[in-house]
PDB file of all heavy atoms in Angstrom:
ATOM      1  N   SER T 230     -10.555 -17.404  31.559  1.00 97.00           N
ATOM      2  CA  SER T 230      -9.919 -18.704  31.719  1.00 97.00           C
ATOM      3  C   SER T 230     -10.592 -19.478  32.839  1.00 97.00           C
ATOM      4  O   SER T 230     -11.189 -18.890  33.757  1.00 97.00           O
ATOM      5  CB  SER T 230      -8.433 -18.527  32.035  1.00 97.00           C
ATOM      6  OG  SER T 230      -7.812 -19.774  32.278  1.00 97.00           O
ATOM      7  N   ASP T 231     -10.466 -20.807  32.795  1.00 96.00           N
ATOM      8  CA  ASP T 231     -10.920 -21.639  33.898  1.00 96.00           C
ATOM      9  C   ASP T 231      -9.805 -21.882  34.905  1.00 96.00           C
ATOM     10  O   ASP T 231      -9.979 -22.623  35.869  1.00 96.00           O
ATOM     11  CB  ASP T 231     -11.460 -22.970  33.381  1.00 96.00           C
ATOM     12  CG  ASP T 231     -10.417 -23.768  32.612  1.00 96.00           C
ATOM     13  OD1 ASP T 231      -9.304 -23.241  32.378  1.00 96.00           O
ATOM     14  OD2 ASP T 231     -10.704 -24.920  32.231  1.00 96.00           O
ATOM     15  N   GLY T 232      -8.644 -21.239  34.684  1.00 96.00           N
ATOM     16  CA  GLY T 232      -7.534 -21.399  35.604  1.00 96.00           C
ATOM     17  C   GLY T 232      -7.528 -20.349  36.697  1.00 96.00           C
ATOM     18  O   GLY T 232      -8.416 -19.495  36.788  1.00 96.00           O
ATOM     19  N   GLU T 233      -6.520 -20.411  37.528  1.00 96.00           N
ATOM     20  CA  GLU T 233      -6.348 -19.451  38.618  1.00 96.00           C
ATOM     21  C   GLU T 233      -5.491 -18.300  38.112  1.00 96.00           C
ATOM     22  O   GLU T 233      -4.448 -18.509  37.499  1.00 96.00           O
ATOM     23  CB  GLU T 233      -5.678 -20.129  39.819  1.00 96.00           C
ATOM     24  CG  GLU T 233      -6.484 -21.301  40.364  1.00 96.00           C
ATOM     25  CD  GLU T 233      -5.690 -22.106  41.384  1.00 96.00           C
ATOM     26  OE1 GLU T 233      -4.567 -21.669  41.738  1.00 96.00           O
ATOM     27  OE2 GLU T 233      -6.182 -23.154  41.802  1.00 96.00           O
ATOM     28  N   ILE T 234      -5.914 -17.074  38.381  1.00 95.00           N
ATOM     29  CA  ILE T 234      -5.256 -15.885  37.839  1.00 95.00           C
ATOM     30  C   ILE T 234      -4.707 -15.046  38.981  1.00 95.00           C
ATOM     31  O   ILE T 234      -5.403 -14.756  39.954  1.00 95.00           O
ATOM     32  CB  ILE T 234      -6.246 -15.052  36.999  1.00 95.00           C
ATOM     33  CG1 ILE T 234      -6.832 -15.901  35.873  1.00 95.00           C
ATOM     34  CG2 ILE T 234      -5.560 -13.813  36.438  1.00 95.00           C
ATOM     35  CD1 ILE T 234      -7.960 -15.241  35.132  1.00 95.00           C
ATOM     36  N   ASP T 235      -3.453 -14.664  38.846  1.00 93.00           N
ATOM     37  CA  ASP T 235      -2.821 -13.815  39.845  1.00 93.00           C
ATOM     38  C   ASP T 235      -1.785 -12.955  39.134  1.00 93.00           C
ATOM     39  O   ASP T 235      -1.345 -13.278  38.029  1.00 93.00           O
ATOM     40  CB  ASP T 235      -2.142 -14.671  40.923  1.00 93.00           C
ATOM     41  CG  ASP T 235      -1.687 -13.842  42.120  1.00 93.00           C
ATOM     42  OD1 ASP T 235      -2.199 -12.710  42.270  1.00 93.00           O
ATOM     43  OD2 ASP T 235      -0.823 -14.315  42.873  1.00 93.00           O
ATOM     44  N   GLY T 236      -1.389 -11.844  39.745  1.00 90.00           N
ATOM     45  CA  GLY T 236      -0.359 -11.047  39.105  1.00 90.00           C
ATOM     46  C   GLY T 236      -0.283  -9.645  39.640  1.00 90.00           C
ATOM     47  O   GLY T 236      -0.882  -9.295  40.669  1.00 90.00           O
ATOM     48  N   ALA T 237       0.480  -8.843  38.920  1.00 89.00           N
ATOM     49  CA  ALA T 237       0.715  -7.443  39.258  1.00 89.00           C
ATOM     50  C   ALA T 237       0.636  -6.647  37.971  1.00 89.00           C
ATOM     51  O   ALA T 237       0.549  -7.224  36.874  1.00 89.00           O
ATOM     52  CB  ALA T 237       2.088  -7.293  39.923  1.00 89.00           C
ATOM     53  N   PRO T 238       0.631  -5.293  38.044  1.00 92.00           N
ATOM     54  CA  PRO T 238       0.556  -4.501  36.809  1.00 92.00           C
ATOM     55  C   PRO T 238       1.611  -4.936  35.778  1.00 92.00           C
ATOM     56  O   PRO T 238       2.790  -5.042  36.094  1.00 92.00           O
ATOM     57  CB  PRO T 238       0.813  -3.076  37.309  1.00 92.00           C
ATOM     58  CG  PRO T 238       0.294  -3.087  38.711  1.00 92.00           C
ATOM     59  CD  PRO T 238       0.630  -4.440  39.250  1.00 92.00           C
ATOM     60  N   GLY T 239       1.140  -5.216  34.566  1.00 93.00           N
ATOM     61  CA  GLY T 239       2.024  -5.609  33.480  1.00 93.00           C
ATOM     62  C   GLY T 239       2.305  -7.091  33.406  1.00 93.00           C
ATOM     63  O   GLY T 239       2.873  -7.568  32.418  1.00 93.00           O
ATOM     64  N   ARG T 240       1.926  -7.867  34.439  1.00 96.00           N
ATOM     65  CA  ARG T 240       2.211  -9.304  34.469  1.00 96.00           C
ATOM     66  C   ARG T 240       1.012 -10.058  35.051  1.00 96.00           C
ATOM     67  O   ARG T 240       0.394  -9.607  36.007  1.00 96.00           O
ATOM     68  CB  ARG T 240       3.436  -9.610  35.325  1.00 96.00           C
ATOM     69  CG  ARG T 240       4.727  -8.987  34.816  1.00 96.00           C
ATOM     70  CD  ARG T 240       5.845  -9.201  35.827  1.00 96.00           C
ATOM     71  NE  ARG T 240       7.087  -8.601  35.402  1.00 96.00           N
ATOM     72  CZ  ARG T 240       8.023  -9.217  34.681  1.00 96.00           C
ATOM     73  NH1 ARG T 240       7.835 -10.484  34.319  1.00 96.00           N
ATOM     74  NH2 ARG T 240       9.129  -8.595  34.337  1.00 96.00           N
ATOM     75  N   LEU T 241       0.729 -11.202  34.485  1.00 97.00           N
ATOM     76  CA  LEU T 241      -0.291 -12.090  35.023  1.00 97.00           C
ATOM     77  C   LEU T 241       0.215 -13.523  34.956  1.00 97.00           C
ATOM     78  O   LEU T 241       0.921 -13.905  34.020  1.00 97.00           O
ATOM     79  CB  LEU T 241      -1.605 -11.976  34.248  1.00 97.00           C
ATOM     80  CG  LEU T 241      -2.454 -10.720  34.442  1.00 97.00           C
ATOM     81  CD1 LEU T 241      -3.675 -10.781  33.537  1.00 97.00           C
ATOM     82  CD2 LEU T 241      -2.877 -10.558  35.900  1.00 97.00           C
ATOM     83  N   ALA T 242      -0.183 -14.299  35.914  1.00 97.00           N
ATOM     84  CA  ALA T 242       0.108 -15.723  35.914  1.00 97.00           C
ATOM     85  C   ALA T 242      -1.214 -16.490  35.888  1.00 97.00           C
ATOM     86  O   ALA T 242      -2.110 -16.216  36.712  1.00 97.00           O
ATOM     87  CB  ALA T 242       0.917 -16.101  37.156  1.00 97.00           C
ATOM     88  N   VAL T 243      -1.350 -17.393  34.941  1.00 97.00           N
ATOM     89  CA  VAL T 243      -2.537 -18.232  34.843  1.00 97.00           C
ATOM     90  C   VAL T 243      -2.087 -19.661  35.119  1.00 97.00           C
ATOM     91  O   VAL T 243      -1.211 -20.190  34.420  1.00 97.00           O
ATOM     92  CB  VAL T 243      -3.200 -18.124  33.462  1.00 97.00           C
ATOM     93  CG1 VAL T 243      -4.448 -18.998  33.404  1.00 97.00           C
ATOM     94  CG2 VAL T 243      -3.532 -16.682  33.146  1.00 97.00           C
ATOM     95  N   ARG T 244      -2.650 -20.285  36.120  1.00 97.00           N
ATOM     96  CA  ARG T 244      -2.219 -21.612  36.529  1.00 97.00           C
ATOM     97  C   ARG T 244      -3.364 -22.616  36.452  1.00 97.00           C
ATOM     98  O   ARG T 244      -4.511 -22.307  36.706  1.00 97.00           O
ATOM     99  CB  ARG T 244      -1.682 -21.562  37.973  1.00 97.00           C
ATOM    100  CG  ARG T 244      -0.468 -20.659  38.142  1.00 97.00           C
ATOM    101  CD  ARG T 244       0.740 -21.226  37.397  1.00 97.00           C
ATOM    102  NE  ARG T 244       1.943 -20.426  37.593  1.00 97.00           N
ATOM    103  CZ  ARG T 244       2.399 -19.552  36.695  1.00 97.00           C
ATOM    104  NH1 ARG T 244       1.738 -19.355  35.559  1.00 97.00           N
ATOM    105  NH2 ARG T 244       3.499 -18.881  36.935  1.00 97.00           N
ATOM    106  N   ARG T 245      -2.961 -23.864  36.072  1.00 97.00           N
ATOM    107  CA  ARG T 245      -3.877 -25.007  35.999  1.00 97.00           C
ATOM    108  C   ARG T 245      -5.104 -24.696  35.137  1.00 97.00           C
ATOM    109  O   ARG T 245      -6.240 -24.969  35.505  1.00 97.00           O
ATOM    110  CB  ARG T 245      -4.278 -25.466  37.400  1.00 97.00           C
ATOM    111  CG  ARG T 245      -3.121 -26.101  38.170  1.00 97.00           C
ATOM    112  CD  ARG T 245      -3.518 -26.502  39.573  1.00 97.00           C
ATOM    113  NE  ARG T 245      -3.732 -25.341  40.442  1.00 97.00           N
ATOM    114  CZ  ARG T 245      -2.745 -24.641  41.009  1.00 97.00           C
ATOM    115  NH1 ARG T 245      -1.493 -24.978  40.803  1.00 97.00           N
ATOM    116  NH2 ARG T 245      -2.998 -23.612  41.783  1.00 97.00           N
ATOM    117  N   ALA T 246      -4.834 -24.146  33.985  1.00 97.00           N
ATOM    118  CA  ALA T 246      -5.916 -23.825  33.040  1.00 97.00           C
ATOM    119  C   ALA T 246      -6.035 -24.912  31.977  1.00 97.00           C
ATOM    120  O   ALA T 246      -5.048 -25.571  31.618  1.00 97.00           O
ATOM    121  CB  ALA T 246      -5.639 -22.485  32.369  1.00 97.00           C
ATOM    122  N   ARG T 247      -7.233 -25.084  31.488  1.00 97.00           N
ATOM    123  CA  ARG T 247      -7.449 -25.928  30.309  1.00 97.00           C
ATOM    124  C   ARG T 247      -7.904 -25.087  29.116  1.00 97.00           C
ATOM    125  O   ARG T 247      -7.901 -25.560  27.987  1.00 97.00           O
ATOM    126  CB  ARG T 247      -8.466 -27.024  30.613  1.00 97.00           C
ATOM    127  CG  ARG T 247      -7.906 -28.151  31.470  1.00 97.00           C
ATOM    128  CD  ARG T 247      -8.947 -29.229  31.727  1.00 97.00           C
ATOM    129  NE  ARG T 247      -8.357 -30.402  32.340  1.00 97.00           N
ATOM    130  CZ  ARG T 247      -8.062 -30.524  33.622  1.00 97.00           C
ATOM    131  NH1 ARG T 247      -8.332 -29.505  34.450  1.00 97.00           N
ATOM    132  NH2 ARG T 247      -7.528 -31.639  34.099  1.00 97.00           N
ATOM    133  N   ARG T 248      -8.312 -23.887  29.407  1.00 98.00           N
ATOM    134  CA  ARG T 248      -8.672 -22.965  28.331  1.00 98.00           C
ATOM    135  C   ARG T 248      -8.316 -21.542  28.761  1.00 98.00           C
ATOM    136  O   ARG T 248      -8.399 -21.185  29.942  1.00 98.00           O
ATOM    137  CB  ARG T 248     -10.164 -23.050  27.982  1.00 98.00           C
ATOM    138  CG  ARG T 248     -11.082 -22.670  29.115  1.00 98.00           C
ATOM    139  CD  ARG T 248     -12.539 -22.560  28.685  1.00 98.00           C
ATOM    140  NE  ARG T 248     -13.371 -22.163  29.806  1.00 98.00           N
ATOM    141  CZ  ARG T 248     -13.513 -20.894  30.225  1.00 98.00           C
ATOM    142  NH1 ARG T 248     -12.867 -19.914  29.597  1.00 98.00           N
ATOM    143  NH2 ARG T 248     -14.283 -20.614  31.258  1.00 98.00           N
ATOM    144  N   LEU T 249      -7.899 -20.758  27.788  1.00 98.00           N
ATOM    145  CA  LEU T 249      -7.553 -19.358  28.040  1.00 98.00           C
ATOM    146  C   LEU T 249      -7.842 -18.578  26.770  1.00 98.00           C
ATOM    147  O   LEU T 249      -7.418 -18.974  25.683  1.00 98.00           O
ATOM    148  CB  LEU T 249      -6.065 -19.228  28.402  1.00 98.00           C
ATOM    149  CG  LEU T 249      -5.482 -17.813  28.466  1.00 98.00           C
ATOM    150  CD1 LEU T 249      -6.152 -16.991  29.561  1.00 98.00           C
ATOM    151  CD2 LEU T 249      -3.970 -17.871  28.696  1.00 98.00           C
ATOM    152  N   LEU T 250      -8.580 -17.498  26.911  1.00 98.00           N
ATOM    153  CA  LEU T 250      -8.845 -16.601  25.796  1.00 98.00           C
ATOM    154  C   LEU T 250      -8.336 -15.214  26.171  1.00 98.00           C
ATOM    155  O   LEU T 250      -8.688 -14.685  27.232  1.00 98.00           O
ATOM    156  CB  LEU T 250     -10.341 -16.536  25.476  1.00 98.00           C
ATOM    157  CG  LEU T 250     -10.752 -15.571  24.358  1.00 98.00           C
ATOM    158  CD1 LEU T 250     -10.137 -15.980  23.024  1.00 98.00           C
ATOM    159  CD2 LEU T 250     -12.276 -15.487  24.240  1.00 98.00           C
ATOM    160  N   ILE T 251      -7.507 -14.663  25.310  1.00 98.00           N
ATOM    161  CA  ILE T 251      -6.956 -13.317  25.498  1.00 98.00           C
ATOM    162  C   ILE T 251      -7.507 -12.435  24.393  1.00 98.00           C
ATOM    163  O   ILE T 251      -7.448 -12.798  23.209  1.00 98.00           O
ATOM    164  CB  ILE T 251      -5.419 -13.328  25.437  1.00 98.00           C
ATOM    165  CG1 ILE T 251      -4.846 -14.319  26.445  1.00 98.00           C
ATOM    166  CG2 ILE T 251      -4.861 -11.936  25.647  1.00 98.00           C
ATOM    167  CD1 ILE T 251      -3.387 -14.654  26.200  1.00 98.00           C
ATOM    168  N   ALA T 252      -8.027 -11.290  24.757  1.00 98.00           N
ATOM    169  CA  ALA T 252      -8.490 -10.294  23.783  1.00 98.00           C
ATOM    170  C   ALA T 252      -7.745  -9.000  24.054  1.00 98.00           C
ATOM    171  O   ALA T 252      -7.960  -8.370  25.099  1.00 98.00           O
ATOM    172  CB  ALA T 252      -9.995 -10.083  23.873  1.00 98.00           C
ATOM    173  N   LEU T 253      -6.868  -8.632  23.139  1.00 98.00           N
ATOM    174  CA  LEU T 253      -6.081  -7.411  23.298  1.00 98.00           C
ATOM    175  C   LEU T 253      -6.582  -6.356  22.336  1.00 98.00           C
ATOM    176  O   LEU T 253      -6.724  -6.609  21.129  1.00 98.00           O
ATOM    177  CB  LEU T 253      -4.598  -7.681  23.052  1.00 98.00           C
ATOM    178  CG  LEU T 253      -3.660  -6.485  23.196  1.00 98.00           C
ATOM    179  CD1 LEU T 253      -2.322  -6.914  23.795  1.00 98.00           C
ATOM    180  CD2 LEU T 253      -3.410  -5.785  21.857  1.00 98.00           C
ATOM    181  N   SER T 254      -6.856  -5.159  22.857  1.00 98.00           N
ATOM    182  CA  SER T 254      -7.268  -4.059  22.007  1.00 98.00           C
ATOM    183  C   SER T 254      -6.480  -2.805  22.372  1.00 98.00           C
ATOM    184  O   SER T 254      -5.829  -2.742  23.414  1.00 98.00           O
ATOM    185  CB  SER T 254      -8.771  -3.799  22.119  1.00 98.00           C
ATOM    186  OG  SER T 254      -9.209  -2.960  21.063  1.00 98.00           O
ATOM    187  N   THR T 255      -6.542  -1.835  21.503  1.00 98.00           N
ATOM    188  CA  THR T 255      -5.773  -0.601  21.657  1.00 98.00           C
ATOM    189  C   THR T 255      -6.669   0.587  21.344  1.00 98.00           C
ATOM    190  O   THR T 255      -7.727   0.454  20.716  1.00 98.00           O
ATOM    191  CB  THR T 255      -4.569  -0.584  20.697  1.00 98.00           C
ATOM    192  OG1 THR T 255      -5.052  -0.644  19.351  1.00 98.00           O
ATOM    193  CG2 THR T 255      -3.644  -1.752  20.947  1.00 98.00           C
ATOM    194  N   SER T 256      -6.220   1.741  21.775  1.00 98.00           N
ATOM    195  CA  SER T 256      -6.910   2.975  21.446  1.00 98.00           C
ATOM    196  C   SER T 256      -5.912   4.112  21.584  1.00 98.00           C
ATOM    197  O   SER T 256      -4.889   3.978  22.252  1.00 98.00           O
ATOM    198  CB  SER T 256      -8.113   3.194  22.367  1.00 98.00           C
ATOM    199  OG  SER T 256      -8.844   4.340  21.975  1.00 98.00           O
ATOM    200  N   SER T 257      -6.201   5.227  20.947  1.00 97.00           N
ATOM    201  CA  SER T 257      -5.283   6.370  21.023  1.00 97.00           C
ATOM    202  C   SER T 257      -6.039   7.656  20.748  1.00 97.00           C
ATOM    203  O   SER T 257      -7.129   7.652  20.174  1.00 97.00           O
ATOM    204  CB  SER T 257      -4.145   6.216  20.005  1.00 97.00           C
ATOM    205  OG  SER T 257      -4.627   6.391  18.685  1.00 97.00           O
ATOM    206  N   ARG T 258      -5.418   8.748  21.157  1.00 96.00           N
ATOM    207  CA  ARG T 258      -6.001  10.040  20.824  1.00 96.00           C
ATOM    208  C   ARG T 258      -5.982  10.252  19.307  1.00 96.00           C
ATOM    209  O   ARG T 258      -6.906  10.832  18.731  1.00 96.00           O
ATOM    210  CB  ARG T 258      -5.250  11.165  21.522  1.00 96.00           C
ATOM    211  CG  ARG T 258      -5.979  12.515  21.445  1.00 96.00           C
ATOM    212  CD  ARG T 258      -5.303  13.556  22.300  1.00 96.00           C
ATOM    213  NE  ARG T 258      -5.168  13.137  23.684  1.00 96.00           N
ATOM    214  CZ  ARG T 258      -6.131  13.190  24.583  1.00 96.00           C
ATOM    215  NH1 ARG T 258      -7.320  13.653  24.241  1.00 96.00           N
ATOM    216  NH2 ARG T 258      -5.926  12.799  25.826  1.00 96.00           N
ATOM    217  N   ALA T 259      -4.944   9.764  18.651  1.00 96.00           N
ATOM    218  CA  ALA T 259      -4.855   9.907  17.197  1.00 96.00           C
ATOM    219  C   ALA T 259      -5.965   9.134  16.497  1.00 96.00           C
ATOM    220  O   ALA T 259      -6.452   9.551  15.442  1.00 96.00           O
ATOM    221  CB  ALA T 259      -3.494   9.419  16.707  1.00 96.00           C
ATOM    222  N   GLU T 260      -6.393   8.015  17.076  1.00 95.00           N
ATOM    223  CA  GLU T 260      -7.524   7.282  16.505  1.00 95.00           C
ATOM    224  C   GLU T 260      -8.773   8.153  16.502  1.00 95.00           C
ATOM    225  O   GLU T 260      -9.513   8.208  15.516  1.00 95.00           O
ATOM    226  CB  GLU T 260      -7.769   6.005  17.300  1.00 95.00           C
ATOM    227  CG  GLU T 260      -8.987   5.222  16.834  1.00 95.00           C
ATOM    228  CD  GLU T 260      -9.433   4.162  17.810  1.00 95.00           C
ATOM    229  OE1 GLU T 260      -8.681   3.893  18.777  1.00 95.00           O
ATOM    230  OE2 GLU T 260     -10.542   3.626  17.639  1.00 95.00           O
ATOM    231  N   SER T 261      -9.009   8.848  17.630  1.00 92.00           N
ATOM    232  CA  SER T 261     -10.170   9.742  17.709  1.00 92.00           C
ATOM    233  C   SER T 261     -10.045  10.863  16.692  1.00 92.00           C
ATOM    234  O   SER T 261     -11.029  11.251  16.043  1.00 92.00           O
ATOM    235  CB  SER T 261     -10.284  10.325  19.113  1.00 92.00           C
ATOM    236  OG  SER T 261     -10.461   9.313  20.073  1.00 92.00           O
ATOM    237  N   TRP T 262      -8.832  11.396  16.559  1.00 93.00           N
ATOM    238  CA  TRP T 262      -8.619  12.487  15.595  1.00 93.00           C
ATOM    239  C   TRP T 262      -8.865  12.002  14.172  1.00 93.00           C
ATOM    240  O   TRP T 262      -9.516  12.686  13.380  1.00 93.00           O
ATOM    241  CB  TRP T 262      -7.195  13.020  15.727  1.00 93.00           C
ATOM    242  CG  TRP T 262      -6.841  14.000  14.654  1.00 93.00           C
ATOM    243  CD1 TRP T 262      -7.134  15.330  14.630  1.00 93.00           C
ATOM    244  CD2 TRP T 262      -6.147  13.715  13.441  1.00 93.00           C
ATOM    245  NE1 TRP T 262      -6.667  15.894  13.470  1.00 93.00           N
ATOM    246  CE2 TRP T 262      -6.057  14.929  12.720  1.00 93.00           C
ATOM    247  CE3 TRP T 262      -5.598  12.562  12.886  1.00 93.00           C
ATOM    248  CZ2 TRP T 262      -5.438  14.999  11.476  1.00 93.00           C
ATOM    249  CZ3 TRP T 262      -4.976  12.629  11.655  1.00 93.00           C
ATOM    250  CH2 TRP T 262      -4.899  13.847  10.964  1.00 93.00           C
ATOM    251  N   TRP T 263      -8.364  10.811  13.828  1.00 92.00           N
ATOM    252  CA  TRP T 263      -8.512  10.292  12.472  1.00 92.00           C
ATOM    253  C   TRP T 263      -9.980  10.063  12.139  1.00 92.00           C
ATOM    254  O   TRP T 263     -10.466  10.470  11.094  1.00 92.00           O
ATOM    255  CB  TRP T 263      -7.725   8.990  12.317  1.00 92.00           C
ATOM    256  CG  TRP T 263      -7.865   8.367  10.970  1.00 92.00           C
ATOM    257  CD1 TRP T 263      -8.715   7.358  10.610  1.00 92.00           C
ATOM    258  CD2 TRP T 263      -7.150   8.715   9.775  1.00 92.00           C
ATOM    259  NE1 TRP T 263      -8.580   7.055   9.272  1.00 92.00           N
ATOM    260  CE2 TRP T 263      -7.612   7.881   8.744  1.00 92.00           C
ATOM    261  CE3 TRP T 263      -6.173   9.655   9.486  1.00 92.00           C
ATOM    262  CZ2 TRP T 263      -7.136   7.954   7.433  1.00 92.00           C
ATOM    263  CZ3 TRP T 263      -5.678   9.726   8.188  1.00 92.00           C
ATOM    264  CH2 TRP T 263      -6.155   8.889   7.184  1.00 92.00           C
ATOM    265  N   ALA T 264     -10.679   9.425  13.047  1.00 85.00           N
ATOM    266  CA  ALA T 264     -12.093   9.136  12.795  1.00 85.00           C
ATOM    267  C   ALA T 264     -12.957  10.375  12.968  1.00 85.00           C
ATOM    268  O   ALA T 264     -13.951  10.562  12.263  1.00 85.00           O
ATOM    269  CB  ALA T 264     -12.568   8.039  13.742  1.00 85.00           C
ATOM    270  N   ASP T 265     -12.578  11.213  13.916  1.00 76.00           N
ATOM    271  CA  ASP T 265     -13.309  12.450  14.209  1.00 76.00           C
ATOM    272  C   ASP T 265     -14.800  12.174  14.397  1.00 76.00           C
ATOM    273  O   ASP T 265     -15.658  12.965  14.021  1.00 76.00           O
ATOM    274  CB  ASP T 265     -13.100  13.495  13.113  1.00 76.00           C
ATOM    275  CG  ASP T 265     -13.397  14.917  13.601  1.00 76.00           C
ATOM    276  OD1 ASP T 265     -13.239  15.179  14.802  1.00 76.00           O
ATOM    277  OD2 ASP T 265     -13.796  15.745  12.766  1.00 76.00           O
ATOM    278  N   ALA T 266     -15.085  11.026  14.978  1.00 58.00           N
ATOM    279  CA  ALA T 266     -16.482  10.637  15.126  1.00 58.00           C
ATOM    280  C   ALA T 266     -17.094  11.210  16.400  1.00 58.00           C
ATOM    281  O   ALA T 266     -18.258  11.607  16.411  1.00 58.00           O
ATOM    282  CB  ALA T 266     -16.593   9.117  15.140  1.00 58.00           C
ATOM    283  N   ASP T 267     -16.293  11.253  17.478  1.00 59.00           N
ATOM    284  CA  ASP T 267     -16.865  11.709  18.738  1.00 59.00           C
ATOM    285  C   ASP T 267     -16.682  13.203  18.963  1.00 59.00           C
ATOM    286  O   ASP T 267     -17.290  13.773  19.869  1.00 59.00           O
ATOM    287  CB  ASP T 267     -16.274  10.924  19.924  1.00 59.00           C
ATOM    288  CG  ASP T 267     -14.743  10.895  19.887  1.00 59.00           C
ATOM    289  OD1 ASP T 267     -14.150  11.780  19.250  1.00 59.00           O
ATOM    290  OD2 ASP T 267     -14.166   9.982  20.496  1.00 59.00           O
ATOM    291  N   GLY T 268     -15.824  13.840  18.152  1.00 71.00           N
ATOM    292  CA  GLY T 268     -15.668  15.284  18.227  1.00 71.00           C
ATOM    293  C   GLY T 268     -14.949  15.785  19.464  1.00 71.00           C
ATOM    294  O   GLY T 268     -14.817  16.990  19.657  1.00 71.00           O
ATOM    295  N   ASP T 269     -14.461  14.880  20.326  1.00 80.00           N
ATOM    296  CA  ASP T 269     -13.826  15.344  21.560  1.00 80.00           C
ATOM    297  C   ASP T 269     -12.395  14.844  21.672  1.00 80.00           C
ATOM    298  O   ASP T 269     -11.881  14.644  22.770  1.00 80.00           O
ATOM    299  CB  ASP T 269     -14.628  14.893  22.781  1.00 80.00           C
ATOM    300  CG  ASP T 269     -14.671  13.379  22.918  1.00 80.00           C
ATOM    301  OD1 ASP T 269     -14.223  12.681  21.988  1.00 80.00           O
ATOM    302  OD2 ASP T 269     -15.142  12.902  23.967  1.00 80.00           O
ATOM    303  N   TRP T 270     -11.728  14.655  20.549  1.00 87.00           N
ATOM    304  CA  TRP T 270     -10.381  14.093  20.600  1.00 87.00           C
ATOM    305  C   TRP T 270      -9.411  15.013  21.340  1.00 87.00           C
ATOM    306  O   TRP T 270      -8.448  14.552  21.932  1.00 87.00           O
ATOM    307  CB  TRP T 270      -9.869  13.774  19.191  1.00 87.00           C
ATOM    308  CG  TRP T 270      -9.729  14.960  18.272  1.00 87.00           C
ATOM    309  CD1 TRP T 270     -10.652  15.409  17.387  1.00 87.00           C
ATOM    310  CD2 TRP T 270      -8.587  15.809  18.138  1.00 87.00           C
ATOM    311  NE1 TRP T 270     -10.171  16.493  16.698  1.00 87.00           N
ATOM    312  CE2 TRP T 270      -8.895  16.767  17.140  1.00 87.00           C
ATOM    313  CE3 TRP T 270      -7.339  15.888  18.749  1.00 87.00           C
ATOM    314  CZ2 TRP T 270      -8.011  17.769  16.756  1.00 87.00           C
ATOM    315  CZ3 TRP T 270      -6.451  16.867  18.372  1.00 87.00           C
ATOM    316  CH2 TRP T 270      -6.784  17.798  17.385  1.00 87.00           C
TER     317      TRP T 270
END
Side-chain angles (χ1 to χ4, degrees):
S230 176
D231 60 354
E233 300 170 6
I234 303 171
D235 190 18
R240 298 173 181 270
L241 287 177
V243 181
R244 298 293 183 259
R245 291 178 289 281
R247 285 181 170 80
R248 62 171 181 81
L249 170 63
L250 177 63
I251 305 165
L253 180 144
S254 194
T255 61
S256 185
S257 71
R258 192 172 304 280
E260 176 194 350
S261 299
W262 172 83
W263 178 263
D265 201 28
D267 50 22
D269 64 351
W270 62 266

